[in-house]
Amino acid sequence: MTTDDAEAVWPAALVDRYREQWVDLTRLAYLLTGDRAVAEELVQDAFVAVRARWDQIDNPGGYLRTSVVNATRDWGRHQQVVRRHEPGAAEAQQAATSEDHPDELWDALGRLDGRRRRAIVLRFYLDLPDVEIADLLDCRPATVRTLIHRALRDLRREMTP
């Protein structure tokens, strides 16, 4: 499908938003999943899903961001189920992650639980305020502050020799 064909099928504003936000949303999904291919797929799925509701959405950027964060959360839950049902898979995954990402901060982020990792990424990567993070994580702003405080404490412990 050419660009002209895509614009004929997809609303032009959505095509523009795709061009503007795809890289940032993919980077966000990557930070939350640790897997580039999964991140790209989740972002693509979010754009496909938003296409069906495009005329009903008041804040497309926020809707897409929320869709991506929720998709990474669902993916993470699925991965937990897979790991529980495959003997020895958790150890193999940890070994692969360590070899693929020798960065100490990346490894420390990977050891945080999902909620704390999402809170840290949303705060320090997207620079979102507590209220928006709370909406994305479906919790109160005070809980967001607690998650970030505890995540930073855990990261300091991990990073301190």
Side-chain angles (χ1 to χ4, degrees), residues 135-155:
D135 286 342
L136 288 168
L137 298 181
D138 195 28
C139 64
R140 297 179 325 184
T143 304
V144 169
R145 289 188 292 276
T146 300
L147 288 169
I148 290 171
H149 174 77
R150 290 179 180 168
L152 289 173
R153 178 198 63 204
D154 293 347
L155 288 172

Side-chain angles (χ1 to χ4, degrees), residues 54-104:
W54 183 250
D55 294 333
Q56 303 164 353
I57 299 172
D58 295 328
N59 179 3
Y63 186 91
L64 283 163
R65 183 176 55 231
T66 300
S67 296
V68 169
V69 170
N70 288 340
T72 62
R73 183 183 306 149
D74 292 343
W75 177 85
R77 287 181 189 140
H78 176 74
Q79 293 306 305
Q80 288 176 347
V81 171
V82 168
R83 277 185 240 129
R84 275 195 306 259
H85 291 90
E86 290 182 6
E91 294 82 12
Q93 175 64 28
Q94 183 62 33
T97 301
S98 298
E99 292 169 11
D100 293 343
H101 305 287
D103 182 15
E104 186 178 356

